Amino acid sequence: KGKPMRLYIEGDGNPNPRHQIAKEFAIKDTSSNVIYIARPCQWIQDKICKTTPAIYKEAKFHPEVIKEMTELTESIVHKYQAPSVEIIGYDGGAVVALNIAPKLPTNKIITIANSVFNTPYLNP
């Protein structure tokens, strides 16, 4: 509690990402406060995910999704009393990071593109 936080937000996956890049970065991070957050419907297929697949397909950045991610991250920051947050967003997680950053005590945003991992040379 009371220390800066580094927050990783996973990229797109319909519903589960094939490459868990943000998760791998978070696991290897040696910072004292590291939090990993998956996108809505990525790992838990609750009722809304089954009845509204647009949440993880067409509406990935819908205001309601951004609101939910903002509320989640605000509660985590509050719970751990983080004075500042670095947000690392991979792929679509970068879009989420840019949208939630103004609501948090953000001191840095890092965005990571996915183009390297989607080339036919790396994923035959």
Side-chain angles (χ1 to χ4, degrees):
K1 284 191 172 184
K3 295 189 178 194
M5 178 180 291
R6 189 168 288 163
L7 177 67
Y8 288 85
I9 302 174
E10 190 61 77
D12 297 342
N14 294 326
N16 299 329
R18 193 168 72 172
H19 301 287
Q20 301 168 30
I21 304 302
K23 184 177 179 183
E24 292 301 319
F25 285 144
I27 289 169
K28 293 176 183 176
D29 193 319
T30 59
S31 301
S32 59
N33 273 345
V34 176
I35 301 288
Y36 167 81
I37 298 177
R39 303 280 304 285
C41 299
Q42 280 188 320
W43 303 116
I44 298 172
Q45 292 296 301
D46 62 9
K47 183 179 177 182
I48 194 165
C49 298
K50 291 176 183 173
T51 59
T52 315
I55 287 174
Y56 60 84
K57 290 184 177 179
E58 302 87 30
K60 296 181 275 193
F61 311 117
H62 187 276
E64 196 60 37
V65 172
I66 298 301
K67 179 180 177 241
E68 183 178 315
M69 293 294 285
T70 300
E71 290 172 357
L72 172 64
T73 54
E74 285 177 324
S75 69
I76 292 169
V77 169
H78 178 73
K79 178 179 180 176
Y80 293 101
Q81 301 169 4
S84 63
V85 181
E86 290 183 2
I87 307 172
I88 298 99
Y90 170 70
D91 188 27
V95 175
V96 174
L98 292 169
N99 277 278
I100 68 173
K103 302 287 186 177
L104 303 173
T106 306
N107 68 353
K108 184 187 286 186
I109 303 169
I110 299 171
T111 61
I112 304 169
N114 75 347
S115 61
V116 172
F117 299 101
N118 288 331
T119 63
Y121 305 106
L122 295 177
N123 297 314

